[in-house]
């Protein structure tokens, strides 16, 4: 059992945690070339809607809402080979 009232800070992963990829083969596209990252860099506000469609985890939406209501610090950790898609991830969050 998780006691949410004991939480002081939260750290989330991005891919598959906060952002659920509609196409489970997204890793293969990432490895396919730099165009994936360039598209994320050029279109950060729409990348995770139009180019790499994702949806927010419904469970974690509840957790993040709880954290916001209780003024808990939230952080996202994500392994990235390139920072070119960092702003796309921030825009999704």
């Amino acid at each position: 059992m998780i006691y949410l009232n004991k939480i002081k800070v939260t750290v989330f992963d991005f891919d598959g945690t906060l952002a659920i990829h509609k196409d489970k083969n997204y890793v293969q596209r990432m490895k396919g070339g730099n165009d994936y990252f360039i598209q994320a860099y050029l279109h950060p506000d729409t990348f995770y809607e139009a180019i790499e469609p994702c949806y927010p985890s419904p469970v974690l939406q509840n957790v993040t809402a709880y954290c916001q209501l209780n003024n808990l610090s939230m952080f996202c950790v994500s392994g990235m080979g390139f920072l070119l898609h960092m702003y796309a991830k921030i825009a999704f969050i």
Side-chain angles (χ1 to χ4, degrees), residues 10-59:
T10 55
V11 180
F12 302 98
D13 180 43
F14 185 81
D15 295 302
T17 305
L18 289 177
I20 309 301
H21 293 265
K22 291 183 179 180
D23 180 0
K24 302 303 178 198
N25 293 323
Y26 76 95
V27 173
Q28 296 306 318
R29 277 196 314 285
M30 276 182 13
K31 292 179 180 179
N34 291 337
D35 187 57
Y36 180 93
F37 300 103
I38 292 169
Q39 291 300 314
Y41 179 75
L42 293 174
H43 310 285
D45 293 330
T46 59
F47 181 75
Y48 285 108
E49 294 170 13
I51 298 166
E52 180 59 57
C54 291
Y55 60 92
S57 165
V59 171

Side-chain angles (χ1 to χ4, degrees), residues 30-86:
M30 276 182 13
K31 292 179 180 179
N34 291 337
D35 187 57
Y36 180 93
F37 300 103
I38 292 169
Q39 291 300 314
Y41 179 75
L42 293 174
H43 310 285
D45 293 330
T46 59
F47 181 75
Y48 285 108
E49 294 170 13
I51 298 166
E52 180 59 57
C54 291
Y55 60 92
S57 165
V59 171
L60 288 181
Q61 280 184 309
N62 291 334
V63 173
T64 56
Y66 175 87
C67 292
Q68 284 180 315
L69 286 172
N70 291 281
N71 296 316
L72 298 174
S73 296
M74 292 183 278
F75 299 93
C76 180
V77 176
S78 184
M80 293 183 280
F82 297 102
L83 293 179
L84 293 174
H85 65 304
M86 177 180 70

